[in-house]
Amino acid sequence: MSFVTCDLCDENPELVSIVEPIFTNYGGKKAFGGEIVTVKCHEDNSRVKEHVSNPGEGRVMVVDGGGSLRCALLGDMLAEKAAQSGWAGLIIYGCIRDVDEVGNTDLGVQALRTIPIKSNRKGLGEMNIPVTFGGVTFTPGEYVYADNNGIIVSPEPLKLPE
């Protein structure tokens, strides 16, 4: 998938919502997009771990970690599993770790920050519910596109400029 979010915004101004510029691009894929799947969790990446093993089919997992900066919701092993399972990327409203290894993985990853400590796993979290952060609601079945310019959300797939 090759696109620039700036061009998508210019071509589809009536369709896109712009996520506040609070994310950093950490993954090996600098531009990624696809259908939204959501996980809502707070300092517990149990549902993320479960879901990266499911077939990604080019979708993007949007993880609402409540903006916590106290522990990582994604590391190198889960990123590698997501890439192997066919996920286009993950957007984490929280932290990741193992940033150098994640950067070498064929996966798009955007997150708020990095931190070396892993999360606790208690089996908590919700799946496939609308989540809101960065001034935008991410609804399962809608579409998200991300690159070094930012993150945008659309209710339908966007035609990529030629």
Side-chain angles (χ1 to χ4, degrees):
M1 176 177 290
S2 178
F3 63 85
V4 177
T5 55
C6 301
D7 295 338
L8 293 177
C9 289
D10 292 350
E11 294 290 322
N12 305 278
E14 71 289 349
L15 289 177
V16 299
S17 298
I18 312 301
V19 178
E20 294 168 355
I22 55 177
F23 290 88
T24 300
N25 213 345
Y26 293 105
K29 282 186 183 175
K30 297 304 176 193
F32 62 98
E35 186 178 339
I36 296 170
V37 172
T38 64
V39 175
K40 185 175 177 101
C41 56
H42 184 73
E43 298 180 2
D44 179 348
N45 73 346
S46 300
R47 299 289 177 244
V48 175
K49 182 179 188 231
E50 289 171 15
H51 222 54
V52 296
S53 297
N54 295 334
E57 301 170 337
R59 295 174 295 170
V60 176
M61 190 182 309
V62 176
V63 180
D64 181 354
S68 173
L69 303 178
R70 293 190 290 245
C71 64
L73 296 175
L74 180 76
D76 61 340
M77 291 187 292
L78 294 186
E80 183 59 38
K81 186 64 176 171
Q84 291 170 355
S85 297
W87 290 91
L90 288 91
I91 296 171
I92 312 271
Y93 185 51
C95 291
I96 68 166
R97 68 188 213 156
D98 303 314
V99 68
D100 295 329
E101 291 87 356
V102 169
N104 290 323
T105 303
D106 188 27
L107 182 72
V109 177
Q110 292 216 10
L112 295 179
R113 301 258 194 305
T114 63
I115 193 165
I117 190 166
K118 66 182 179 180
S119 77
N120 293 315
R121 289 199 183 126
K122 300 176 187 169
L124 303 175
E126 297 176 81
M127 307 280 296
N128 290 320
I129 61 168
V131 297
T132 302
F133 56 82
V136 171
T137 297
F138 297 84
T139 303
E142 292 191 344
Y143 292 81
V144 63
Y145 301 86
D147 66 7
N148 284 327
N149 294 295
I151 302 172
I152 61 175
V153 175
S154 171
E156 60 189 58
L158 297 177
K159 183 175 189 273
L160 303 178
E162 311 238 348

